Amino acid sequence: NPSLYTMKKKASAKKKGPKGKKARAKAKLEKQWGEQVDEAERKAAKFRGGKSRLLKDPAAVPAESEMEIVESENESDSNPLENQAVGVEEEHDSDQTDKEEGDAFGDLLKSIEKKSRQSNRLAKEDKMEVESGDDEASEEDEQAYDSQPGDNGYIMKEDGIEHKTHDPFTAHFSQEPLPESDTAISDELKGAQFTEKVLMKSVNEELEFQISTKIVKKFDAEVDHFKEEIWNRVAAGIFQYNRKVLKDNWKNFNRRAFKANMDGLLSNQMKSCHLSNLQATLYPAMASYADMLLMAETAENREAVNNLISLHLLNHVLTCRGRIQRNNKAIKEAEDASDIRAKDQGYTRPSVLIILPTRGVCHTFLTSMISLLGDASVVENKDRFDTEYGPEEVDGEGGGVETDARRKAVLESKGREWNSLFADEINSDDDFKLGVALFPKAVKETDNGNKSGISVKLYSDFYKSDIIVTSPLALKAAVEQQEDENTDVDYLSSIEICFVGYSDVLLMQNWDNMRDVFEFLNKQPQNNNDTDFSRVREYLLAGQAKYWRQLIISSTFSDPNILSTFKRNASSIEGMVKLRRRVPTHEARLVDVMVPTKQVFQRVQCDSLSSQGENRLDYFKKHVLSHIQRTNQDYTMVFVPSYFEFISLRNLLLKENETFVSVTEYARVSEVSRGRARFLQGRKPILLYTGRAHYFSRHTIKGAKHVVFYGLPEHAEFYSEVVNMINAGLNSNENDGSSSCLVLFNKYEAHSLERICGKSNCERMIKGKKTTFMFVS
């Protein structure tokens, strides 16, 4: 009966289903949409365990008579139209049955083909842009790169030569967790942490570049036969994996650093990606998520280094957010979300931790990083950020023109570095923490119409942030307070990149806070925090987050505290890179001494690192203090690098009943002024001056004829500044030409000694048989 068959087809036809995964699941249970359910087929499918009947061996499927089919009277009477249609279907001939089965098979093939196309599309989008409203690669990219099926990399074609590069994000985060045994983990990390020196001809010859062999081999190269040309091509290849919005704005953003090409020896051959020689040297390892210790920053190359780090951090966050949004869309559109395996996130949203010393530095760094997003970016709470972190208003009332000119001259004498950190208009507060969230595809109204860009929200809640910017003091205080209140700090559980900037400044604050911060990172979460555990990356579930975390530390010099912290916390499976600046003799701080005096360097014998403080104090008591007491030497200034050493020295002088004054970082302004005046007047023969007091205040101590360095200063410029204070403020009668300078050092201060005396002198003074060395200026 054609009419009844037509009625049956209409009844079994698919209806437009509701939107949303939960709504569709609920509707299926209530049978409100989709195909009418055949109870016999449903029970057969249940017997098959959900597997397709077309893939099941027919012999293994029991006959309908063998299955228990129970239908209640209510079910048989509830839908007469369905019963009627079933009865008609039984009366059809075999040809009609074959036709229907063919339609079902075709529908199944279409469904499989649809899922296959979807899977291929997701794999293809891994290599394409996911933000800025543009999901297609540019024509230039398509011409320069050929996609390789089943590979995470591209074959870069340059000058007819093929060079293999990899998508570093996919290559890093798609790796399987390490074996659980400690031995296997140790063996895996041993190859990643073993570094060798590599000669880089495109950068300053004084830069010492050490790189893990694992990083070099990843790009089909060898350390023994390292070719810098291949390394630069790798940098250009990896650069193409950056998000499109970053690549579009990079040329203008990095224009000044590219043109200056600081520490570069060759003309900028990386014009295709606009990287300077130094940036091209660092970028392949940085983009590959290797740990990096950059101990070669200067005021001149700092912009280039920070620009490169900003590019890496933003690309990481935008790639994470873009892939999560794409997978969310794919899961929402999929008929069966369980078929999509998306391991694309951590326990919590924050993935980048930036540690900086002051609010002023934070304002400078974040403002520069946000500018990389282009003019189309939308920044929320920008005014509040500028008010709380930006330049402060200077109250110029109450002083005359002469007073203002004198103060300006005093500030200029303190140096450019000091003014960049602690000048009157600079916010030098070291207690701050800030959350930053990024949202792709924001729309901004401009004069030329609406533009699609990135939305940046400042002051976002930590659990809703992508980036956390903080000082060590603020983060430690926040974590300890939350632990005391029994609240969680799970927002640090999924940090994937930790950047510590201006480490030389942090060293002058309290490096113990820095050590404590690393103890809080990548711990297993205490609460659920609305985490979708089905999408948490496998290495996080295995408790191996620290092996996938990248640590980047930048500093102007190398220091044992920084080196030990990096060695203890740098555990990335991708390897590590160390960059250090060697100091030639002609650039050492000895050449900056302008006062004619004899500078005697005395090496103090030390039994071990733990006993160096005791050995130094004992030498000072027996040889230096006894000489001062015996000759009644006055106008003696003792420079003490750390406050702990100051405590030991102060107690010694009190025990010996010596008369002295002190200038420390904790003293009140009135105490400092009174002590300096008494020392200049000769009423106090000894003045103790701490390194941190000089760092934060840059005092010019007058009245010193004799200078004793109890230890070497971390900042080498302090040496020449303090020595040049000799005979300052003394009249011709008091300046009898008997000035002197004594410097105590040991073998554990080789880094500081190299910055003061130069590399060649340092090696001779540390390893030589003689213990006393003299330089005359």
Side-chain angles (χ1 to χ4, degrees):
N1 191 341
S3 60
L4 290 178
Y5 178 75
T6 302
M7 295 173 60
K8 180 260 179 183
K9 294 293 290 184
K10 290 183 178 180
S12 61
K14 284 188 177 182
K15 302 177 182 179
K16 187 176 181 181
K19 296 182 179 180
K21 178 181 176 182
K22 294 183 178 180
R24 290 196 300 271
K26 183 178 179 181
K28 282 184 177 180
L29 293 176
E30 297 176 353
K31 301 181 181 179
Q32 295 178 353
W33 71 293
E35 300 182 31
Q36 297 297 325
V37 179
D38 187 349
E39 291 298 328
E41 178 60 28
R42 183 182 65 81
K43 288 182 170 53
K46 183 176 180 181
F47 181 87
R48 294 192 302 269
K51 298 181 181 179
S52 173
R53 65 177 181 273
L54 299 177
L55 304 178
K56 190 77 175 178
D57 184 5
V61 181
E64 183 176 354
S65 58
E66 298 178 3
M67 291 187 289
E68 182 180 359
I69 303 178
V70 180
E71 296 185 3
S72 62
E73 295 180 359
N74 294 332
E75 290 177 340
S76 60
D77 297 338
S78 58
N79 194 346
L81 180 60
E82 180 181 3
N83 294 336
Q84 219 171 9
V86 171
V88 170
E89 184 179 12
E90 293 176 353
E91 295 178 1
H92 278 289
D93 55 12
S94 58
D95 294 338
Q96 184 65 40
T97 303
D98 294 341
K99 180 180 179 181
E100 292 180 10
E101 290 181 355
D103 293 340
F105 183 73
D107 292 340
L108 179 61
L109 290 179
K110 290 181 180 180
S111 176
I112 295 175
E113 186 178 359
K114 178 182 178 182
K115 291 184 178 181
S116 177
R117 288 196 304 268
Q118 185 183 48
S119 177
N120 293 335
R121 178 177 60 83
L122 292 177
K124 183 178 181 181
E125 286 182 355
D126 280 346
K127 303 171 183 175
M128 303 174 73
E129 310 306 327
V130 295
E131 81 291 356
S132 303
D134 186 4
D135 290 339
E136 294 185 359
S138 63
E139 294 182 1
E140 296 180 359
D141 291 342
E142 292 179 356
Q143 294 174 1
Y145 299 92
D146 295 330
S147 178
Q148 302 300 305
D151 188 14
N152 290 328
Y154 283 137
I155 298 297
M156 178 181 174
K157 295 181 179 178
E158 184 174 332
D159 299 332
I161 305 175
E162 294 186 350
H163 306 283
K164 185 176 181 180
T165 61
H166 299 269
D167 174 11
F169 185 94
T170 303
H172 180 61
F173 291 104
S174 63
Q175 298 183 67
E176 295 296 328
L178 299 175
E180 296 183 0
S181 64
D182 295 338
T183 304
I185 294 177
S186 178
D187 294 341
E188 181 72 21
L189 296 179
K190 188 179 298 182
Q193 296 180 349
F194 179 76
T195 60
E196 294 186 32
K197 295 181 182 179
V198 172
L199 179 62
M200 305 296 286
K201 298 180 180 179
S202 63
V203 297
N204 192 329
E205 59 183 3
E206 302 302 337
L207 294 180
E208 184 178 278
F209 191 69
Q210 296 183 3
I211 184 172
S212 298
T213 55
K214 181 175 181 179
I215 301 176
V216 179
K217 291 180 179 179
K218 180 186 298 184
F219 302 114
D220 300 332
E222 295 292 340
V223 175
D224 297 337
H225 306 284
F226 186 81
K227 294 182 179 179
E228 195 167 358
E229 296 81 6
I230 297 179
W231 190 255
N232 290 333
R233 292 190 182 106
V234 168
I238 293 179
F239 182 83
Q240 304 305 322
Y241 286 94
N242 286 304
R243 302 299 93 189
K244 186 176 185 301
V245 64
L246 301 179
K247 290 191 293 184
D248 291 344
N249 296 311
W250 173 252
K251 182 177 181 180
N252 182 60
F253 174 75
N254 195 53
R255 181 179 63 254
R256 186 166 53 187
F258 178 75
K259 183 178 180 180
N261 194 27
M262 297 308 301
D263 286 318
L265 299 180
L266 305 178
S267 59
N268 281 297
Q269 71 274 25
M270 304 294 292
K271 294 183 179 180
S272 59
C273 52
H274 224 65
L275 293 173
S276 67
N277 294 153
L278 180 60
Q279 290 173 333
T281 301
L282 300 176
Y283 188 60
M286 182 180 294
S288 300
Y289 294 89
D291 293 321
M292 306 196 73
L293 180 58
L294 310 177
M295 301 176 292
E297 268 196 354
T298 62
E300 291 75 19
N301 69 14
R302 178 171 284 138
E303 181 182 7
V305 175
N306 286 345
N307 287 355
L308 191 67
I309 294 174
S310 299
L311 172 69
H312 177 54
L313 298 182
L314 286 177
N315 183 68
H316 173 79
V317 172
L318 293 178
T319 302
C320 288
R321 297 305 307 160
R323 297 195 178 190
I324 290 175
Q325 291 180 0
R326 186 195 62 218
N327 290 335
N328 289 343
K329 182 179 179 181
I331 292 174
K332 184 177 180 180
E333 294 176 351
E335 296 181 1
D336 187 1
S338 61
D339 293 342
I340 300 179
R341 184 177 182 271
K343 296 289 185 178
D344 56 2
Q345 54 191 267
Y347 294 116
T348 53
R349 180 170 173 175
S351 61
V352 174
L353 176 65
I354 302 176
I355 301 177
L356 298 172
T358 64
R359 286 177 180 257
V361 172
C362 174
H363 183 267
T364 303
F365 184 84
L366 274 187
T367 302
S368 174
M369 185 173 71
I370 293 174
S371 67
L372 179 55
L373 298 175
D375 297 334
S377 61
V378 180
V379 183
E380 299 183 32
N381 302 320
K382 184 67 166 59
D383 294 338
R384 177 186 172 188
F385 178 64
D386 292 337
T387 302
E388 297 182 1
Y389 288 76
E392 298 178 337
E393 295 183 1
V394 180
D395 187 6
E397 298 181 359
V401 176
E402 183 178 352
T403 303
D404 294 341
R406 182 176 180 274
R407 177 168 181 78
K408 182 178 180 181
V410 171
L411 293 178
E412 289 179 353
S413 67
K414 295 179 182 294
R416 183 177 62 175
E417 179 192 358
W418 186 90
N419 280 277
S420 66
L421 295 171
F422 308 112
D424 289 341
E425 70 277 5
I426 301 299
N427 193 333
S428 59
D429 183 14
D430 62 350
D431 187 2
F432 67 92
K433 51 185 181 295
L434 179 70
V436 182
L438 301 182
F439 303 94
K441 299 185 180 180
V443 178
K444 180 179 180 179
E445 295 182 359
T446 62
D447 297 337
N448 299 327
N450 295 339
K451 290 185 176 180
S452 178
I454 308 297
S455 175
V456 181
K457 182 179 180 181
L458 303 174
Y459 296 94
S460 58
D461 181 81
F462 278 0
Y463 283 98
K464 298 179 181 179
S465 302
D466 297 295
I467 303 173
I468 296 177
V469 189
T470 180
S471 65
L473 175 65
L475 186 59
K476 180 181 177 181
V479 171
E480 290 180 346
Q481 179 182 358
Q482 289 171 320
E483 288 180 346
D484 294 340
E485 297 174 356
N486 294 325
T487 55
D488 64 90
V489 289
D490 294 342
Y491 49 81
L492 299 175
S493 62
S494 302
I495 297 297
E496 295 166 347
I497 302 178
C498 178
F499 167 53
V500 183
Y502 293 78
S503 298
D504 51 301
V505 182
L506 295 173
L507 200 63
M508 289 289 102
Q509 293 179 348
N510 189 346
W511 194 255
D512 288 338
N513 292 337
M514 194 69 252
R515 294 191 183 99
D516 294 337
V517 164
F518 285 107
E519 299 297 327
F520 306 142
L521 300 184
N522 298 116
K523 290 185 175 180
Q524 292 295 92
Q526 302 298 319
N527 297 321
N528 184 9
N529 302 310
D530 297 328
T531 303
D532 184 357
F533 288 93
S534 64
R535 298 178 65 176
V536 174
R537 294 191 175 100
E538 294 292 347
Y539 67 84
L540 287 168
L541 299 175
Q544 299 177 1
K546 66 178 182 179
Y547 302 125
W548 268 257
R549 180 189 67 212
Q550 182 184 30
L551 174 61
I552 304 175
I553 298 181
S554 66
S555 173
T556 58
F557 55 79
S558 57
D559 182 83
N561 292 290
I562 299 176
L563 287 169
S564 62
T565 301
F566 180 79
K567 184 177 180 180
R568 186 180 302 111
N569 298 282
S571 53
S572 173
I573 60 174
E574 300 296 345
M576 65 173 58
V577 169
K578 296 179 182 178
L579 184 67
R580 187 178 75 90
R581 184 181 298 277
R582 295 172 299 196
V583 181
T585 304
H586 66 276
E587 293 183 3
R589 287 297 172 175
L590 278 174
V591 301
D592 295 334
V593 175
M594 301 302 176
V595 178
T597 185
K598 296 179 180 179
Q599 305 160 56
V600 179
F601 285 75
Q602 178 63 49
R603 189 175 71 208
V604 179
Q605 300 298 329
C606 294
D607 300 330
S608 64
L609 181 63
S610 59
S611 64
Q612 63 170 333
E614 183 180 349
N615 295 335
R616 192 194 305 269
L617 184 64
D618 185 62
Y619 184 92
F620 181 88
K621 177 182 178 180
K622 291 181 179 180
H623 298 86
V624 181
L625 183 59
S626 61
H627 174 76
I628 294 175
Q629 293 172 335
R630 185 173 60 256
T631 59
N632 294 322
Q633 179 177 298
D634 53 4
Y635 298 107
T636 302
M637 178 173 64
V638 182
F639 182 89
V640 189
S642 72
Y643 191 78
F644 296 105
E645 293 173 328
F646 164 77
I647 296 297
S648 301
L649 200 55
R650 182 195 63 182
N651 294 340
L652 174 63
L653 295 179
L654 291 174
K655 185 178 180 180
E656 297 291 331
N657 296 321
E658 285 293 327
T659 302
F660 68 96
V661 292
S662 59
V663 177
T664 69
E665 60 270 29
Y666 299 110
R668 297 189 298 271
V669 176
S670 58
E671 294 176 347
V672 172
S673 301
R674 185 165 54 249
R676 293 174 60 186
R678 291 178 178 177
F679 178 71
L680 176 60
Q681 297 165 4
R683 297 163 58 186
K684 300 292 183 180
I686 300 175
L687 181 143
L688 302 182
Y689 188 31
T690 62
R692 292 179 66 192
H694 185 71
Y695 181 82
F696 290 110
S697 302
R698 294 295 203 276
H699 296 299
T700 300
I701 306 298
K702 297 180 179 181
K705 294 171 56 177
H706 309 280
V707 172
V708 178
F709 284 87
Y710 187 73
L712 297 177
E714 293 92 346
H715 294 258
E717 62 270 19
F718 291 2
Y719 176 80
S720 56
E721 291 173 359
V722 172
V723 175
N724 287 332
M725 295 178 190
I726 293 178
N727 295 329
L730 297 177
N731 54 39
S732 57
N733 296 329
E734 295 171 331
N735 185 6
D736 54 4
S738 61
S739 61
S740 65
C741 176
L742 175 64
V743 183
L744 304 181
F745 71 96
N746 58 45
K747 61 183 180 180
Y748 300 108
E749 297 176 299
H751 294 288
S752 299
L753 186 63
E754 179 184 349
R755 295 191 290 272
I756 295 174
C757 301
K759 181 175 178 59
S760 58
N761 289 330
C762 174
E763 294 178 352
R764 180 166 51 89
M765 296 166 70
I766 291 294
K767 300 178 181 180
K769 294 182 179 180
K770 295 182 179 180
T771 59
T772 304
F773 308 88
M774 184 173 66
F775 298 89
V776 180
S777 58

